[in-house]
Amino acid sequence: MKNIVILGSTGSIGKNTLEVVRNLKDKFRVVGLSSNSRWELLAEQVEEFKPTYVALNDSQLGEKLKRRFPGNHLKILTGNKCLEEIVLHEEVDIVVSAVVGAVGLPAAIATIQQGKTLALANKESLVMAGHIVMSLAKKNQILPVDSEHSAIFQSLQSGKLSEIKRVIITASGGPFYDYPEDKLSDVSPAQALKHPTWQMGQKITIDSATLMNKALEIIEAKWLFNLKVEQIDVVIHPQSIIHSMVEFCDGSVVAQMGMPDMKVPIQYALTYPERMPLSVQPLNLSSIGSLTFKKPDMEKFPALRLGYQAAREGGTMGATLNAANEVAVQAFLDGQIKFSEIASSVEKVINNHHYIKNPCLEDILTADAWARQETKKCLM
Ligand code: NDP
Ligand code: MG
């Protein structure tokens, strides 16, 4: 029996993780859950999974939860360090980090420092501070939840890291891949929130539409698998059946495939190195008919080019890119800027920032705060 904490249990990955755990009740016990604002959904999850701890930033929401669960059975942690605190408890074996954004970084570091397994969906932690996170982690202490990185990790079961020639990350291309370029700047948040193949939280859905999600994934792959940027290719594959591939030094290419369903990579991260039965829609290639592939268009989707730039330059680039993007995506969702301004404002901010090559955590957090302010100024 493994004890797990799910950070961001009320989100898309969080709910899928609970679905996995619901079907593996004899293997996993949920000891901790967390949310940001959706405390009522969190309360329902508490009723079903009976964790010992919950974490919620907002102390007023914590009070509401307390009234719902009086007595001492549920320990409610609040305040801006609550995610770091909840992972520290001795009984925790696995932490699933499914929060969105930079807020996941301190808890990811705390999880690793405590020697616990980190099932990582929150790619932003690696984008911001991959060099710090990876230098603290032991082999296989971080298990990828992101479907592409899980696919690479699964493909690597047939070869070693040192035998990788190249990884090929697939991208659906999002809802606008074939949309006319001159109309792209006028697409609305509602249009951008309609992803063709995956059901996800709002921020990553917008990132998928700009291809910034792929940009973040290039940086994530670089750190997770210790790759040079030249070893990372992206291919547009609209059907999202091949989740990514590894080309080994002998020319053999190993791919991981399946119908798009995040429960597969989530469960693999939880049960690794074993596999357990999971009821998912089976892959029926003859009914799909054809799998297609295209070269990504970095002029139409400049975010992808920025991802390669940030991956190559390293240092504080990742944190700056990520923070600028978080602010720009929110501004787009709030109707303040056009779709095309997301990437253009990120580009301005990363190219104006005070670059540090080997940043410590404090430098990373300073770069993050600066980029947020600067992006807001640039969007005013
Ligand atoms: P969602 O927006 O659906 O969920 C985010 C979760 O984080 C919610 O539980 C939310 O709480 C919580 N949260 C949001 N802001 C804060 C905050 N400031 N402090 C604490 N908790 C917070 O996101 P997703 O599940 O889609 O994505 C989560 C992460 O996983 C992201 O990093 C994303 O890139 C990554 N990922 C997601 C995939 C997907 O299929 N969805 C695929 C691959 C990676 P509340 O509900 O109360 O708002
Ligand atoms: Mg992904």
Side-chain angles (χ1 to χ4, degrees), residues 7-16 34-39 41-42 55-57 61 82-83 97-101 103-104 120-125 145-148 198-205 207 213 216-217 220 262:
L7 306 179
S9 59
T10 49
S12 161
I13 294 287
K15 286 188 274 189
N16 271 305
S34 95
S35 79
N36 187 39
S37 55
R38 281 182 276 183
W39 73 276
L41 175 56
L42 183 65
L56 263 168
N57 232 337
L61 298 182
C82 66
L83 295 182
S97 179
V99 291
V100 59
V103 69
L120 187 65
N122 178 257
K123 62 191 89 185
E124 293 91 339
S125 316
V145 167
D146 209 349
S147 58
E148 296 77 3
W198 296 98
Q199 280 288 325
M200 309 177 288
Q202 288 202 334
K203 191 251 176 189
I204 185 175
T205 305
D207 286 348
N213 183 47
L216 303 179
E217 290 182 355
E220 181 184 13
M262 285 309 295

